[in-house]
Amino acid sequence: VDTRDDDYTWSQPYMKNRQVVVTLTASGYDGTADLAGKKIGLQAGSTAESAVKSKEAFYNTVKDSIVLIENNIMALQELEAGKVDAVVMDSIVADYYATQKPGLYKVLSETLAEEEYGVGFLKGNTELRDLVQGALERLAKDGTLADISNQWFGSDVTLIGK
């Protein structure tokens, strides 16, 4: 549960996402059970931390070896350098970087958490929210959102109009 939910006026969710674990393909790790006691990198302040904590069995095996890192790009650099054994991050980001360096990263099949993205506005600013929501709905209806999603993410991860 995001503590910001009540602090903003939100659009309807426009995209689905998951929190996943990324390792190096050469590591041989196949699931979270293989990561017991290993160093797990997380972007500081991201939903990755709450996702790890939500999987109690996994969390209990890695809680003493979690490494908070400034951002996901740096986390992947730490993974490549061998400073962490895995990174927990958004599947959208993980899948993108996996396509940029084919064969280097392995996104484990387990999902730690599912989430939806919306656009946040100043609390009470329904006028701007409604304008943006209308634009998103038009882009969904004419197929533009799906086209953009497929181009950048390799699949349609959008939610509007479905």
Side-chain angles (χ1 to χ4, degrees):
V1 172
D2 194 324
T3 58
R4 300 174 299 175
D5 285 350
D6 294 332
D7 295 338
Y8 298 91
T9 294
W10 292 94
S11 71
Q12 292 176 8
Y14 64 86
M15 184 174 83
K16 58 186 170 184
N17 185 51
R18 302 175 298 123
Q19 290 294 319
V20 296
V21 179
V22 179
T23 64
L24 295 177
T25 301
S27 71
Y29 302 131
D30 292 319
T32 55
D34 297 333
L35 297 170
K38 303 296 183 191
K39 289 185 181 177
I40 308 298
L42 307 173
Q43 178 177 313
S46 73
T47 55
E49 187 172 5
S50 59
V52 170
K53 288 179 178 178
S54 74
K55 298 294 184 183
E56 189 175 348
F58 176 53
Y59 177 67
N60 287 336
T61 68
V62 299
K63 65 183 176 187
D64 295 327
S65 56
I66 291 175
V67 178
L68 296 179
I69 302 170
E70 188 174 334
N71 61 55
N72 284 323
I73 295 170
M74 292 175 78
L76 290 173
Q77 291 170 341
E78 296 286 298
L79 178 63
E80 288 182 46
K83 294 181 180 179
V84 297
D85 299 293
V87 174
V88 176
M89 63 187 343
D90 296 339
S91 63
I92 298 295
V93 177
D95 292 342
Y96 174 78
Y97 281 101
T99 64
Q100 299 306 299
K101 295 184 176 183
L104 181 62
Y105 302 122
K106 178 179 183 177
V107 179
L108 302 184
S109 61
E110 296 170 65
T111 296
L112 298 182
E114 293 186 1
E115 53 197 14
E116 296 177 339
Y117 290 171
V119 181
F121 302 91
L122 184 65
K123 185 78 173 171
N125 193 345
T126 56
E127 183 178 350
L128 182 56
R129 188 256 338 257
D130 292 348
L131 287 170
V132 171
Q133 185 67 42
L136 289 171
E137 289 171 7
R138 286 189 298 280
L139 292 169
K141 187 174 184 178
D142 74 9
T144 301
L145 280 184
D147 289 346
I148 292 169
S149 181
N150 281 308
Q151 177 185 353
W152 286 97
F153 306 127
S155 65
D156 184 5
V157 297
T158 64
L159 295 170
I160 294 176
K162 296 182 171 120

